[in-house]
Amino acid sequence: MSNFCDAFLQEAERHAAWGTAQLEALDAGIPDGPWDVDLDTGVYRQGGREIRVAVLATYDLSERTWMWGWANPGLRGAPVVAATERVRDFGRAHGLPEFTEEVLDLSGFADSRRAAETLAFAAMGVTGAAGYLGVEAGPSTRLYLLPDDPRAPLAGVDPVTLPRILTTGATLIGRSPRLAVSGYFDHFRLVQRQEETGISADLPDGGTVDVGFDGSGRIASVRVYPAGR
């Protein structure tokens, strides 16, 4: 594999802005420190914080191969991969081989590590998980985990950080900033109005946000207006 299919990238784009906010929330909610995970109970511990997780995948840095948790022979059918089986099911339902092939060879990508992170990010999106964790599990193995715990911190709509979240999220995949913005509004069930040159949405606090796009489809402006404007 040397590139991802268009449908997969479109799905990843849809979650890009929300995913940016959610990863920040998860990172802020889990203190720095040594980590450990009990694969029998699915409990992850770091910096005195404990949350339940599911094994999403393992990435072999030397071979540059990605194995989904549900396909791992040592974990197949175990409770710790039950939540991530939804990734495979989504892939089957939508015809996305990135989610259905047990092992993906990422050596054809110019940046295979970035490709691995894109897979984790997209899986987080389609499952609605509260982010993902990538940790070094060995000299050449990176373990990816999905929070599977209602106690995991969740991002909300913050009018102060919203311009940065939208503009940053729109660059992660970079194919359709409009889709990244509309996907963010969809995730939070915000009423939005699509126009040729922009999207506006009603915010939970009663304010509004207007996002403008330039002729190339890039975000040109993000303006947040307080309630009662």
Side-chain angles (χ1 to χ4, degrees):
M1 178 175 286
S2 59
N3 53 61
F4 294 127
C5 73
D6 287 343
F8 170 82
L9 291 173
Q10 183 171 345
E11 187 60 39
E13 187 88 76
R14 204 164 61 82
H15 305 289
W18 161 74
T20 297
Q22 183 53 48
L23 285 175
E24 288 188 5
L26 181 64
D27 185 61
I30 298 182
D32 292 333
W35 67 273
D36 68 83
V37 61
D38 185 329
L39 296 182
D40 290 328
T41 62
V43 173
Y44 178 86
R45 303 176 184 86
Q46 180 175 317
R49 182 74 187 266
E50 180 179 294
I51 62 170
R52 191 173 65 251
V53 297
V55 174
L56 177 64
T58 51
Y59 177 59
D60 187 310
L61 283 76
S62 59
E63 298 292 331
R64 291 185 285 179
T65 54
W66 173 277
M67 177 185 290
W68 291 108
W70 50 264
N72 190 311
L75 298 175
R76 196 187 300 267
V80 76
V81 297
T84 57
E85 289 176 350
R86 299 199 305 270
V87 178
R88 178 198 60 198
D89 296 342
F90 185 95
R92 288 174 176 172
H94 295 84
L96 301 178
E98 289 86 350
F99 288 151
T100 58
E101 293 186 15
E102 296 187 353
V103 179
L104 300 172
D105 181 357
L106 304 182
S107 61
F109 285 85
D111 187 342
S112 58
R113 178 67 172 269
R114 179 177 173 81
E117 295 291 325
T118 301
L119 286 166
F121 188 88
M124 171 192 79
V126 301
T127 59
Y132 71 87
L133 298 161
V135 293
E136 304 302 327
S140 63
T141 303
R142 190 163 174 82
L143 175 66
Y144 287 87
L145 305 164
L146 286 185
D148 185 27
D149 192 324
R151 298 171 297 174
L154 296 177
V157 179
D158 181 356
V160 175
T161 62
L162 184 56
R164 177 181 60 79
I165 291 295
L166 294 179
T167 54
T168 300
T171 65
L172 288 184
I173 307 299
R175 292 164 61 91
S176 174
R178 178 180 284 269
L179 182 57
V181 171
S182 64
Y184 177 93
F185 296 153
D186 283 341
H187 179 85
F188 289 105
R189 295 182 172 85
L190 304 181
V191 175
Q192 58 179 296
R193 293 165 291 279
Q194 295 268 355
E195 299 178 3
E196 184 177 349
T197 59
I199 305 174
S200 62
D202 299 330
L203 300 178
D205 66 356
T208 59
V209 57
D210 293 340
V211 183
F213 301 96
D214 64 19
S216 298
R218 296 167 299 194
I219 293 179
S221 63
V222 181
R223 296 185 175 91
V224 179
Y225 302 99
R229 166 184 175 270

